[in-house]
Amino acid sequence: MPYLPSAGAPRAAASTSPVLLHARGLSATLDDGRCLYADLDLLLTEGPVALVGGNGSGKSTLLRQLAGDLPPGAGRVETRAHVHWLSQHCGPTPARVVDVLGEGDRIDALRRLLAGAGDAADVACVDEAWSLESDLRAALDAAGLGALGLDDAADACSGGERQQLRLLAAIRAPAPVLLLDEPSTFLDGEASRRWRDALLARPGATLVVTHDAAWLAATPRIVELRDGALHWTEGNLEVWRAQREARRRCEAQALAQARVARDRSSRDAAHMRERLDRRSARGRQVGRSENQSPLLLDHRADRADHSRGRAQAGLARQRDAADLAVRDAYVAMERLDTPEFVDAAALALPAGRQVLAFEGAHPCATSPRRALDWSCSGPVRIGLTGRNGSGKSTLLRAIAGRGGLAHGEVAAHVPVQSLDQHLAALSDEAAACDWLGQRMPDVAAADIATRLALLGLAGARARQPLGSLSGGERMRVAVAAAAWAMPAAPLLLLDEPASHLDFDSVEAMTSLLRAWPGALLVVSHDPAVLDALALTHRLHLDAEALVLE
């Protein structure tokens, strides 16, 4: 079992607060044999801690081990408290809103008892929570979800609304330890701030896996999972970033020094070869001029060849060592290259080419207060914002031709490539290389492998089922696939493309999208992402209006 009873008092924590969770000697290895970490220790005490790290570094795996969803390898997890885990992937959507809140069984039991049809099992299930239904109703109202009914179908809720229901279940849970994996995913800015403040102020220990700058700025301690080890920062995002930049400067300096040493070694080797060649030439000339016997000349030639061979082998070892030092310094640098487009010329849009046309458009309101009448042409960059449940994803589906609007019409006049916030197009069973190969039949397998390597998915990792990749790795593949689509689609629709991405991946993605030669329409609750894309237009959507700002 992954949970073990605590044997005596655990090792003292960095703070004076009691230890609520102690993980010892955890290890995790992927199916392809890559070791994520080994002999990892972690102490959680009262207060919030943010866990960061590159996509695929093992953050979600670590949370699953702490939650007891995965075995801890050769280690163990000790806790005297209940742990509540909010996973990154919520799995199949429960039937009702109350089921997402985790209270479906108790509400059903309570209703049977109040109707006079319950039994002893129902009494035990309710456990004195006779006001549960009104309590849940009040909690929904306080969370800004008052429009939802407990018996409403959960799959009719927006992604942001479902995420808020999951967060409400987490904050209500009687668990001194919360493990939250990307909790701000799909949330609009206002909802994200509200839930951040509530969860980070909650009593107990809270470990949050996030790359959301607003959450990290409010978190007093950050721990980074990097190179299979945990690295602690006593401070928020600003302190962590300063440390990261200092480390990267050191890494760049080490690479520059290794390259200087390699160049010096190459020059020294060239000079040494010249000396050896001159010495060999002098030896042959002396042998001919002194009229020595052939046997003696052969012996001297063998000795010279042997000595020359030893010297050349030494030079080769020095050169290889210098090359290895450069490679090691390069590998140690934190970077993620930006993937290139398959056919930039085919994606380019002339300024006069019409892209989108809106006529009295609103995705959800049948009688909107303000509908949108607008058209745009050329390589526009459009940002779409709005609260959770306002209809942003519905509007994107209508633009892609996969649904209609409640009012008016919208039409795309160029081919469209879309990426939805749930990555529905990705197959959990297919490997990344095979999935991309099916979408890019005219591109050689070797070229696809090279492109995946640029995304940080090299070798066996590219042959792993997509379902086994981290959320950030899956998002990288999906964004790149949309950018590499064959035939080329000049209008790219992106719904929360920064979800699950680490900081370096977000920078690579925004760099790719800034260079996109076609048109973009991006839904994002992250102002920094929208600002980085150099938008030409902004649309804002609410329950009664779709407006051009």
Side-chain angles (χ1 to χ4, degrees):
M1 295 290 292
Y3 280 97
L4 300 176
S6 300
R11 194 159 44 89
S15 77
T16 57
S17 301
V19 175
L20 299 178
L21 183 147
H22 191 179
R24 306 171 185 263
L26 302 186
S27 61
T29 303
L30 298 176
D31 292 339
D32 61 8
R34 181 166 65 97
C35 179
L36 292 174
Y37 47 81
D39 199 24
L40 201 69
D41 293 347
L42 176 67
L43 276 170
L44 290 182
T45 60
E46 185 89 13
V49 176
L51 174 61
V52 300
N55 294 139
S57 60
K59 303 183 298 298
S60 295
T61 299
L62 176 57
L63 254 64
R64 291 180 66 187
Q65 289 182 329
L66 297 177
D69 189 60
L70 282 179
R76 58 182 181 175
V77 177
E78 301 173 349
T79 179
R80 293 188 177 93
H82 178 63
V83 174
H84 184 91
W85 169 49
L86 180 82
S87 64
Q88 182 181 127
H89 305 294
C90 54
T93 303
R96 302 170 297 172
V97 164
V98 70
D99 298 320
V100 181
L101 294 174
E103 298 285 9
D105 290 341
R106 286 216 294 171
I107 284 292
D108 291 342
L110 176 60
R111 289 171 175 172
R112 286 192 295 270
L113 289 170
L114 293 177
D119 55 20
D122 289 333
V123 173
C125 181
V126 171
D127 191 25
E128 302 298 326
W130 301 108
S131 62
L132 178 60
E133 187 153 1
S134 60
D135 291 345
L136 291 177
R137 186 69 267 160
L140 288 172
D141 291 340
L145 300 170
L148 300 180
L150 291 177
D151 295 310
D152 288 353
D155 58 7
C157 300
S158 72
E161 288 171 331
R162 285 198 296 272
Q163 184 71 350
Q164 290 190 71
L165 291 172
R166 298 176 72 220
L167 291 171
L168 180 56
I171 207 166
R172 284 176 47 84
V177 178
L178 281 187
L179 307 175
L180 308 175
D181 200 346
E182 300 288 359
S184 65
T185 301
F186 311 137
L187 300 186
D188 61 54
E190 180 183 341
S192 181
R193 287 189 294 272
R194 184 171 64 249
W195 286 108
R196 176 200 66 193
D197 294 344
L199 288 163
L200 296 187
R202 183 183 188 272
T206 302
L207 181 63
V208 185
V209 171
T210 184
H211 297 107
D212 188 314
W215 285 62
L216 291 170
T219 307
R221 300 180 74 203
I222 294 176
V223 59
E224 181 179 7
L225 181 54
R226 171 168 41 88
D227 299 329
L230 293 174
H231 305 266
W232 287 87
T233 296
E234 296 297 329
N236 63 4
L237 177 62
E238 183 179 359
V239 178
W240 177 83
R241 277 178 165 162
Q243 293 181 354
R244 183 186 66 167
E245 292 309 311
R247 184 174 68 251
R248 288 182 171 179
R249 286 194 296 270
C250 291
E251 291 168 351
Q253 184 178 11
L255 178 60
Q257 291 173 346
R259 283 171 170 164
V260 168
R262 181 187 61 184
D263 294 343
R264 183 170 56 247
S265 177
S266 297
R267 289 194 300 272
D268 292 345
H271 294 156
M272 180 62 74
R273 281 193 297 270
E274 291 176 1
R275 288 196 295 270
L276 289 173
D277 290 341
R278 288 196 296 269
R279 183 184 303 169
S280 178
R282 284 197 302 270
R284 289 192 298 272
Q285 185 177 5
V286 169
R288 288 193 299 269
S289 63
E290 293 181 356
N291 196 25
Q292 295 176 347
S293 70
L295 187 61
L296 181 58
L297 289 174
D298 288 344
H299 178 66
R300 293 180 61 179
D302 288 343
R303 289 179 56 192
D305 289 343
H306 187 62
S307 175
R308 180 184 177 87
R310 287 201 309 272
Q312 289 179 334
L315 291 175
R317 285 193 296 271
Q318 292 178 16
R319 182 180 63 252
D320 292 344
D323 287 340
L324 180 60
V326 170
R327 287 197 298 273
D328 288 345
Y330 183 76
V331 168
M333 291 186 68
E334 299 175 60
R335 71 200 182 283
L336 184 66
D337 299 322
T338 301
E340 299 175 353
F341 304 117
V342 171
D343 190 354
L347 296 170
L349 286 172
R353 177 76 178 276
Q354 189 175 38
V355 174
L356 284 171
F358 298 82
E359 296 182 5
H362 194 285
C364 300
T366 55
S367 300
R369 176 172 48 85
R370 291 181 62 184
L372 182 64
D373 290 288
W374 177 61
S375 64
C376 56
S377 303
V380 291
R381 303 281 190 273
I382 306 170
L384 175 61
T385 59
R387 295 191 62 178
N388 294 136
S390 59
K392 301 182 299 296
S393 298
T394 301
L395 180 58
L396 262 61
R397 285 194 295 271
I399 294 173
R402 298 199 304 271
L405 303 180
H407 188 275
E409 296 180 352
V410 62
H413 294 278
V414 296
V416 175
Q417 184 70 222
S418 61
L419 171 67
D420 74 271
Q421 60 182 251
H422 300 290
L423 306 184
L426 292 184
S427 166
D428 286 344
E429 293 77 24
C433 55
D434 297 333
W435 184 76
L436 282 175
Q438 293 170 2
R439 299 170 69 90
M440 304 162 60
D442 297 329
V443 179
D447 290 338
I448 291 176
T450 299
R451 294 177 186 280
L452 285 170
L454 287 174
L455 294 170
L457 296 172
R461 195 69 177 149
R463 296 189 292 274
Q464 289 291 110
L466 283 164
S468 69
L469 303 182
S470 73
E473 288 172 321
R474 287 164 57 84
M475 181 60 77
R476 278 191 241 156
V477 172
V479 170
W484 299 337
M486 300 290 280
L491 175 56
L492 191 57
L493 308 179
L494 300 168
D495 197 350
E496 297 293 349
S499 294
H500 312 305
L501 294 185
D502 60 49
F503 291 112
D504 290 339
S505 298
V506 170
E507 292 173 5
M509 180 204 68
T510 54
S511 176
L512 179 147
L513 295 180
R514 278 197 306 270
W516 180 255
L520 293 171
L521 197 159
V522 181
V523 172
S524 179
H525 295 303
D526 188 341
V529 169
L530 294 177
D531 291 342
L533 296 179
L535 299 178
T536 59
H537 303 84
R538 289 178 183 263
L539 300 176
H540 183 74
L541 177 64
D542 63 31
E544 297 182 348
L546 174 59
V547 296
L548 178 66
E549 295 183 329

